[in-house]
Amino acid sequence: MPELLLHYIWHTDGRRIEVIDVGLHNSDAGPDFFNAKLRIDGVLWIGNIEIHVLSSDWYRHGHNTDNKYDNIILHVVRRADKEVYNSRGESIAQCELQYPHEEKRLERLLIDRLSLCSDRLIADPTLLTDNWRQKLLNDRMQKKADAINQLLSVSGNNWEEAFYVTLAHNFGFHTNSLPFELVAKSLPLAYILKHRDNLFQLEALLFGQSGLLTQKDATDDYSRSLYQEYLFLQKKFSLMPIDGSMWKLLRMHPQNFPHRRIAQFAALLHKSEFLFSSIIEKDNLKELRDCFVAPTSEYWHNHYRFAAESPAMNSEIGRSAVDVLLINTVAPYKSFRSRECVCTIADDSGREKQYC
C-alpha cells in the first residue's frame, strides 16, 4: 500500500495507537510529522515521527546516516521487517499500523475524503469546529513565533533579552503594550542586570524611560527621590526616555494604571536575575504562577500614580493577569523553544528532560 495512505491514517486517527498528539504534518523535506506527543512504556516523549511502508525503507532513504532524523521518537510502518537505528547508533521504537486490505475502499478514502466524512460531520459538527479552533490557535502561535524569531534576530539570539521585551509588551495588557515594549527596547536588559539587586534603582530606570517621571511629575518625596536617581542613571547609560504621552490612562481602574504595572514589572525583574531560564524550565502551573509573585515597593501599596493615594491594594500581579502573561508570553516561548529541542522525555518521577 502507498506510504501516502499511512500518512493519512496517522494524521487523522493517531489515537488508535495511543498517541496523545499526532504532531504537525510536514510536507517538506525532513521527518513526516513534527512535535508529536505519545507515551512509550509509560514514559512521555515529545518529538518527530517518520512513516514508511517497510522498516527497511529507513535504510533505503539513508535516514540512518542523516542527523536530521536523530530526533525521531517513533517509526510508523505497515510492516516492521527490520530494526532501525539513527546516526548515533540509538535504537528507534517502531509501530505497525494495521488496516484492512480492501483496496477499493482505501482508494476511495484517499481520493474522496470529503464524501466519507460528510455524514459524520452532520452527526457531530464539533469535529469541524474543533479543527477550526485548532487552526486559529496554530495561526496565532505562528504569529507569536515569528515575533519571537525577529527579537532573537536583533538581539543576537539572546533568549533572555527577547523574553524580557516580549514580557514587557504583554505587561501593557493590550492597552499599553506598545509603550511598555518601547521602554524595554530603550533599556537593554544588561542595564537592568547591573542594578537588579536594588529595586529602587530598577524603578528609577523603568519610570524614567517610560516618560512618566519628569520634574513636573515629581511632586512628593518618593517621586522626587526617584527622579534624582533616574537623572544619575540616565547620564550613566546615555538614556533617552520614550514619549510619556503614549501611555493611556483614561477610564482605567487604579490597579491597572501603567504606574502600578511598571512597579510590578520592576519587582519581577528584581526577583530573578535570569527570568527566562527560571521560567522556561518549569511545567507545573502552580510553579509558573509563583514565578510572577513579586511584591512591589511599599509606596505602591496605596498609590496608583505619583502623589495619588488610594485605599490599600494588593501590590502583586493578580491571578487572572498572571494567567494572561503565561498564555501570551510563557506558552509561545515554550512552544518556540521546543523547535530547537524537539524531544522531551519525562522520567519516573514525572520530570521532563529535553534532548536536542
Side-chain angles (χ1 to χ4, degrees):
M1 289 298 156
E3 187 177 310
L4 176 60
L5 178 61
L6 288 172
H7 280 230
Y8 181 60
I9 293 175
W10 176 259
H11 190 53
T12 59
D13 206 8
R15 291 169 295 180
R16 292 188 179 183
I17 54 173
E18 300 182 334
V19 173
I20 300 169
D21 188 336
V22 299
L24 299 175
H25 191 208
N26 174 34
S27 58
D28 299 319
D32 293 318
F33 287 83
F34 287 126
N35 295 334
K37 187 174 183 180
L38 58 146
R39 291 187 184 276
I40 301 176
D41 293 333
V43 177
L44 177 67
W45 290 73
I46 299 176
N48 301 333
I49 305 294
E50 181 66 11
I51 295 178
H52 289 123
V53 175
L54 300 174
S55 296
S56 52
D57 290 339
W58 177 270
Y59 296 97
R60 189 165 61 86
H61 295 165
H63 299 334
N64 59 310
T65 58
D66 190 342
N67 60 13
K68 294 187 183 70
Y69 292 83
D70 285 350
N71 285 317
I72 297 297
I73 61 173
L74 185 67
H75 190 212
V76 181
V77 296
R78 177 68 180 92
R79 182 163 64 88
D81 62 339
K82 197 170 187 177
E83 291 290 326
V84 295
Y85 299 86
N86 62 24
S87 68
R88 297 194 292 253
E90 299 167 340
S91 177
I92 298 174
Q94 299 192 92
C95 175
E96 286 186 341
L97 277 184
Q98 300 294 333
Y99 52 84
H101 292 279
E102 300 176 25
E103 294 191 9
K104 290 184 178 180
R105 184 183 176 195
L106 295 175
E107 183 180 8
R108 184 184 172 208
L109 176 67
L110 290 171
I111 296 173
D112 193 7
R113 302 175 190 179
L114 182 60
S115 63
L116 288 173
C117 297
S118 59
D119 292 342
R120 192 175 176 190
L121 287 173
I122 292 172
D124 186 2
T126 60
L127 293 171
L128 181 61
T129 58
D130 286 351
N131 288 337
W132 173 65
R133 292 190 187 98
Q134 184 64 43
K135 176 66 164 55
L136 291 178
L137 175 61
N138 291 340
D139 289 346
R140 184 174 182 182
M141 291 298 286
Q142 184 58 52
K143 289 180 181 178
K144 291 182 181 296
D146 291 342
I148 293 171
N149 192 49
Q150 184 177 14
L151 286 173
L152 287 172
S153 177
V154 299
S155 66
N157 210 39
N158 187 324
W159 287 86
E160 294 285 348
E161 183 81 29
F163 186 80
Y164 159 69
V165 174
T166 303
L167 184 61
H169 173 90
N170 291 323
F171 245 84
F173 294 96
H174 183 67
T175 303
N176 283 307
S177 292
L178 177 58
F180 232 122
E181 179 180 339
L182 292 176
V183 168
K185 288 181 174 178
S186 74
L187 187 60
L189 183 60
Y191 298 170
I192 292 289
L193 294 179
K194 287 180 181 294
H195 296 277
R196 187 190 66 83
D197 293 335
N198 190 316
L199 179 57
F200 183 76
Q201 288 183 323
L202 287 184
E203 289 180 339
L205 283 168
L206 289 167
F207 277 114
Q209 286 303 102
S210 74
L212 295 173
L213 178 64
T214 65
Q215 187 171 15
K216 181 180 178 181
D217 299 310
T219 57
D220 62 4
D221 291 342
Y222 167 79
S223 55
R224 280 192 290 268
S225 297
L226 203 66
Y227 178 66
Q228 290 302 316
E229 185 67 25
Y230 171 68
L231 292 179
F232 165 75
L233 295 170
Q234 181 186 31
K235 185 176 181 180
K236 176 181 178 180
F237 295 119
S238 301
L239 298 173
M240 179 66 68
I242 71 168
D243 185 354
S245 65
M246 298 178 64
W247 298 91
K248 298 177 182 178
L249 308 176
L250 294 178
R251 294 184 293 277
M252 276 198 164
H253 294 293
Q255 63 267 27
N256 294 327
F257 255 66
H259 300 71
R260 284 181 55 79
R261 294 302 188 195
I262 291 172
Q264 290 168 343
F265 190 57
L268 186 59
L269 296 173
H270 175 63
K271 177 181 178 179
S272 178
E273 181 175 3
F274 299 108
L275 193 57
F276 170 76
S277 300
S278 64
I279 288 176
I280 207 68
E281 295 174 356
K282 293 179 173 59
D283 290 310
N284 181 275
L285 181 58
K286 183 181 183 303
E287 292 179 352
L288 285 169
R289 284 172 172 157
D290 288 345
C291 289
F292 289 85
V293 177
T296 66
S297 58
E298 186 176 352
Y299 180 86
W300 297 105
H301 292 190
N302 61 348
H303 288 80
Y304 64 94
R305 61 188 301 180
F306 297 127
E309 293 192 34
S310 66
M313 294 183 287
N314 183 4
S315 66
E316 298 172 358
I317 310 170
R319 171 73 169 271
S320 60
V322 168
D323 287 347
V324 170
L325 293 173
L326 291 176
I327 291 170
N328 291 323
T329 309
V330 177
Y333 270 84
K334 278 183 168 291
S335 175
F336 190 87
R337 184 69 166 175
S338 71
R339 300 183 183 186
E340 302 251 324
C341 298
V342 296
C343 183
T344 304
I345 304 175
D347 59 21
D348 293 337
S349 65
R351 182 176 178 83
E352 294 186 347
K353 184 177 180 181
Q354 292 183 325
Y355 292 84
C356 298

